[in-house]
Amino acid sequence: GAGVSQTPSNKVTEKGKYVELRCDPISGHTALYWYRQSLGQGPEFLIYFQGTGAADDSGLPNDRFFAVRPEGSVSTLKIQRTERGDSAVYLCASSPRGGPVGTEAFFGQGTRLTVV
Amino acid sequence: GDSVTQMEGPVTLSEEAFLTINCTYTATGYPSLFWYVQYPGEGLQLLLKATKADDKGSNKGFEATYRKETTSFHLEKGSVQVSDSAVYFCALIGSSNTGKLIFGQGTTLQVKP
């Protein structure tokens, strides 16, 4: 497909468990972003990758959250010891270059994470 | 830090009515400004953008003008359709050099036939 793909679309997990959320960006896009959207709120920035490196992880809420992009394409967001407050829609976006110029970011449909 | 404030929703209009959704921002320097739209069951899509003061972004009959003097980027459409029913997000890319978006809380628009 041509768009950003996120899997799974829905994930229900028990409190304290570990989860991984996957993002397949648009081919050739060097910039990749993760956002978290709570109910009734706008998306909040978590982390930005330029290629393989995390260029800005200032939005990660605590050390339970970690993300990787080992080959500069697919990214995985990892959450350890999940808490009920982690329940949200996790959005991934990619763009051709990233940076401050305002190039368009293309969003996936998100993974809805529910921690019970 | 940078922030975006949108008018609270939901906004309910009849078809062919005029739409305004207010958006104001706080940012240092000269941010780029965006409107994203989320249709039911779909992902966020860029609707329009403006990258410098007095620029007007437009798409699908929607317009927004970057007003630095009032730090605003209000979304307007002259005649809404039922198909415009969606959640609209105002956003900015600020002085950070990463391109990360700062979003408002979103405004739900419902257009009735």
Side-chain angles (χ1 to χ4, degrees), chain B residues 7-55:
Chain B
M7 66 185 286
E8 301 239 350
V11 174
T12 302
L13 296 172
S14 297
E15 206 164 22
E16 299 184 2
F18 183 84
L19 168 71
T20 301
I21 300 178
N22 290 336
C23 171
T24 58
Y25 68 89
T26 301
T28 54
Y30 297 88
S32 296
L33 302 174
F34 304 81
W35 278 99
Y36 276 81
V37 59
Q38 189 168 33
Y39 297 105
E42 298 185 16
L44 277 168
Q45 304 172 25
L46 178 65
L47 180 60
L48 54 84
K49 71 178 185 181
T51 58
K52 61 183 188 294
D54 300 325
D55 269 2

Side-chain angles (χ1 to χ4, degrees), chain B residues 19-108:
Chain B
L19 168 71
T20 301
I21 300 178
N22 290 336
C23 171
T24 58
Y25 68 89
T26 301
T28 54
Y30 297 88
S32 296
L33 302 174
F34 304 81
W35 278 99
Y36 276 81
V37 59
Q38 189 168 33
Y39 297 105
E42 298 185 16
L44 277 168
Q45 304 172 25
L46 178 65
L47 180 60
L48 54 84
K49 71 178 185 181
T51 58
K52 61 183 188 294
D54 300 325
D55 269 2
K56 178 185 284 188
S58 61
N59 186 25
K60 300 182 180 180
F62 291 88
E63 294 183 337
T65 301
Y66 187 162
R67 301 285 189 202
K68 187 156 181 67
E69 64 276 14
T70 54
T71 61
S72 65
F73 193 55
H74 305 320
L75 183 68
E76 297 182 337
K77 186 174 186 182
S79 176
V80 294
Q81 306 300 312
V82 172
S83 57
D84 294 326
S85 298
V87 183
Y88 293 81
F89 294 92
C90 186
L92 67 82
I93 292 177
S95 55
S96 159
N97 63 356
T98 63
K100 68 182 181 185
L101 288 154
I102 308 297
F103 286 89
Q105 75 270 33
T107 303
T108 299

Side-chain angles (χ1 to χ4, degrees), chain A residues 42-100:
Chain A
E44 294 180 309
F45 169 78
L46 295 176
I47 188 169
Y48 160 62
F49 287 91
Q50 182 60 252
T52 61
D56 182 354
D57 64 357
S58 62
L60 295 178
N62 52 59
D63 61 7
R64 295 187 297 107
F65 288 75
F66 189 72
V68 295
R69 194 185 185 200
E71 298 179 356
S73 178
V74 171
S75 176
T76 305
L77 178 65
K78 309 181 180 194
I79 310 174
Q80 299 177 318
R81 304 184 303 280
T82 52
E83 299 177 357
R84 292 196 179 88
D86 299 335
S87 297
V89 176
Y90 289 82
L91 298 172
C92 177
S94 70
S95 76
R97 296 185 302 279

